[in-house]
């Protein structure tokens, strides 16, 4: 073992270990009277995309479970199957300590209004001190009513175009999930393919010497402009931040051209 | 006129003026062989949510225009009607200077990989120096193929759960729109209702004096604990950061209770 590990079963995959931590302390998504099973399914999919797993449904309009949710969830069935059903919003939030209400409309209520980033930063702070946090999403057409908003500690709204503010239900959930992921560091699942390091200056200069030598051999440079043309060409390649592999690829292509046409001006 | 204005027609609404600026220099969304009209419509809606307007479609699988797109766009018909159709991706990006490809899968290509925030920061920089920028989104099932990715300058990927990385097409567009909005400052369309300022300390102390006086009148405080109980109660209210209106509301409620039960211990 090269690093200190907590006791218990070993966790070979750091990503799995992170996922387990997230599931242990993440906000609960609460859909209030959602109408369409497809939207519930898409909300579950959006949750799964960003590592959220606890879903609560308050009195879905067309009953629950409901056909159509699973196919829309595209594989996030575990979230739908674990969803908890509540007859009222009060019951759905009874065990929570901090509740945020999403809304696209201004309410006549003296409540804090957060953008998604500030809201999820609050959420992360609350979770860190052991609080249970829930985020409310209203009906597809009408959103949350004012009494429902009044049960929340604060409001989340999104930085939308004021002329076109209405977000689809699953898309609101997605943005909350995305900001949650950003709170956790927002690591993207892969980076630049890194098989080849940046070209060392030696590789680059050797390539340029080769290229210039070949061009000299076919009389490419007019004598009075040779120096400036070479400087310009070197600059083209230096600016590209080429990798070792890039330089090998270019050198191979140029060698092939030279061997095919050496001594013959096209 | 109280502020300096550019010449030309007056812009009474600062939000409209902002929207016009955005339309003038914003990334173009390019959907490559999208299959379902509903997804094209939902992508248009997501664009409209965040002030994006230029949509290009490369060889939609089921033809174009196509029934179903408009209803899914939920009012973003102007984007669908302005969408430009191209037979190939090369033609769709011919006039662009900087092209990003969205993908959930690692590619065996030596390309820069950005998260959404870094990507849209690049986009904003390019737009600022007058470049035309496009962002590619692949097919619903298969995404972009490697040849298509190779036409891009860099890759955007999202900070998803590696175990559940597949985003719905419109949701990828939404996240790009959201990050675009964040680049523009991410202003939310409304804030806290601000009709009542925070309570001045005078209002608060007057309220507490009233409350304590009423509690004294009914013999609520044991003499030996009066001082500490008052300190604790004052602390409860001070911690709440109450507004003037909050204090008036509380005072009214307490007065009503006192008038209903004054002199009578319940």
């Amino acid at each position: 073992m090269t690093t200190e590990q907590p006791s218990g079963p070993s966790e070979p995959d750091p990503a799995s270990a992170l996922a387990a931590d997230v599931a242990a302390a993440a906000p609960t998504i609460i859909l209030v009277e959602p109408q369409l099973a497809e939207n519930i399914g898409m909300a579950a999919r959006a949750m799964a995309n960003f590592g959220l797993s606890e879903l609560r449904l308050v009195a879905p309009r067309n009953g629950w479970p409901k056909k159509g949710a699973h196919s829309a969830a595209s594989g996030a069935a575990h979230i739908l199957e674990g969803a908890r059903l509540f007859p009222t919003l009060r019951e759905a939030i009874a065990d929570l300590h901090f509740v945020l209400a999403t809304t696209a409309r201004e309410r006549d209520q003296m409540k804090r209004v957060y953008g998604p980033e500030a809201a999820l930063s609050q959420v992360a702070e609350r979770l860190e001190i052991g609080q249970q946090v829930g985020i409310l999403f209203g009906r597809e057409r009408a959103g949350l009513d004012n009494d429902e908003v009044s049960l929340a500690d604060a409001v989340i709204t999104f930085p939308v175009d004021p002329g076109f503010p209405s977000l689809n239900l699953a898309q609101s959930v997605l943005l909350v999930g995305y900001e949650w992921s950003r709170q956790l560091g927002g690591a993207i699942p892969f980076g630049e393919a890194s098989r080849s390091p940046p070209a060392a200056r030696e590789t680059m200069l050797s390539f340029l010497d080769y290229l210039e030598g070949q061009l000299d051999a076919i009389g490419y440079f007019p004598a009075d402009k040779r120096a400036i043309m070479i400087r310009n060409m070197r600059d083209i390649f230096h600016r590209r931040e080429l990798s070792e592999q890039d330089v090998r690829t270019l050198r191979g292509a140029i060698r092939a051209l030279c061997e095919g046409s050496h001594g013959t001006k096209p």
Side-chain angles (χ1 to χ4, degrees), chain A:
Chain A
M1 242 165 52
T2 54
T3 56
E4 205 173 293
Q5 298 263 342
S7 60
S10 67
E11 288 283 3
D13 178 358
S16 303
L18 177 65
D21 282 351
V22 170
T28 296
I29 300 299
I30 303 166
L31 308 185
V32 179
E33 295 191 8
Q35 184 166 11
L36 300 177
E38 287 73 14
N39 286 331
I40 301 172
M42 288 175 65
R45 177 180 180 177
M47 290 172 63
N49 285 139
F50 293 113
L52 296 172
S53 58
E54 205 188 327
L55 176 63
R56 298 182 181 184
L57 304 173
V58 178
R61 286 298 176 92
N62 299 323
W64 187 258
K66 186 77 188 165
K67 218 174 127 178
H70 271 67
S71 63
S74 280
H78 59 291
I79 291 177
L80 294 177
E81 279 150 22
R84 293 175 61 192
L85 192 64
F86 294 86
T88 66
L89 176 54
R90 279 170 182 268
E91 289 162 279
I93 63 175
D95 61 333
L96 304 180
H97 306 102
F98 187 65
V99 176
L100 293 166
T102 55
T103 160
R105 285 180 293 124
E106 186 160 9
R107 308 298 178 130
D108 200 26
Q109 297 191 19
M110 305 299 246
K111 241 173 231 316
R112 293 279 161 91
V113 178
Y114 295 114
E117 184 168 13
L120 274 292
S121 160
Q122 276 277 327
V123 166
E125 282 174 29
R126 301 290 182 146
L127 291 166
E128 204 160 307
I129 56 174
Q131 297 190 5
Q132 299 288 324
V133 176
I135 303 178
L136 312 182
F137 297 81
R139 300 151 192 84
E140 286 92 333
R141 293 195 179 279
L144 296 165
D145 69 31
N146 285 334
D147 284 345
E148 289 159 350
V149 172
S150 79
L151 294 176
D153 293 281
V155 161
I156 305 181
T157 195
F158 300 96
V160 288
D161 183 332
F164 202 90
S166 168
L167 287 165
N168 165 280
L169 174 57
Q171 291 188 323
S172 305
V173 172
L174 184 84
L175 292 179
V176 163
Y178 175 67
E179 277 292 352
W180 171 244
S181 156
R182 291 187 70 241
Q183 284 298 319
L184 300 181
I188 52 180
F190 59 90
E192 193 162 355
S194 55
R195 293 160 308 153
S196 184
R201 194 47 52 109
E202 180 184 27
T203 309
M204 181 66 89
L205 291 176
S206 161
F207 162 68
L208 290 171
D209 288 344
Y210 173 73
L211 175 61
E212 290 152 19
Q214 293 296 324
L215 290 169
D216 274 333
I218 57 170
Y220 176 78
F221 297 113
D224 60 333
K225 291 189 179 152
R226 183 178 184 280
I228 191 164
M229 286 175 77
I230 281 182
R231 277 202 301 277
N232 288 346
M233 191 176 300
R234 288 189 169 233
D235 193 46
I236 290 171
F237 288 102
H238 283 316
R239 265 185 295 158
R240 292 288 88 77
E241 298 176 34
L242 299 170
S243 69
E244 287 282 334
Q245 180 60 55
D246 293 335
V247 177
R248 281 198 296 274
T249 301
L250 283 173
R251 189 167 185 146
I254 285 164
R255 176 179 298 122
L257 287 173
C258 295
E259 288 171 359
S261 68
H262 189 269
T264 323
K265 283 200 183 176

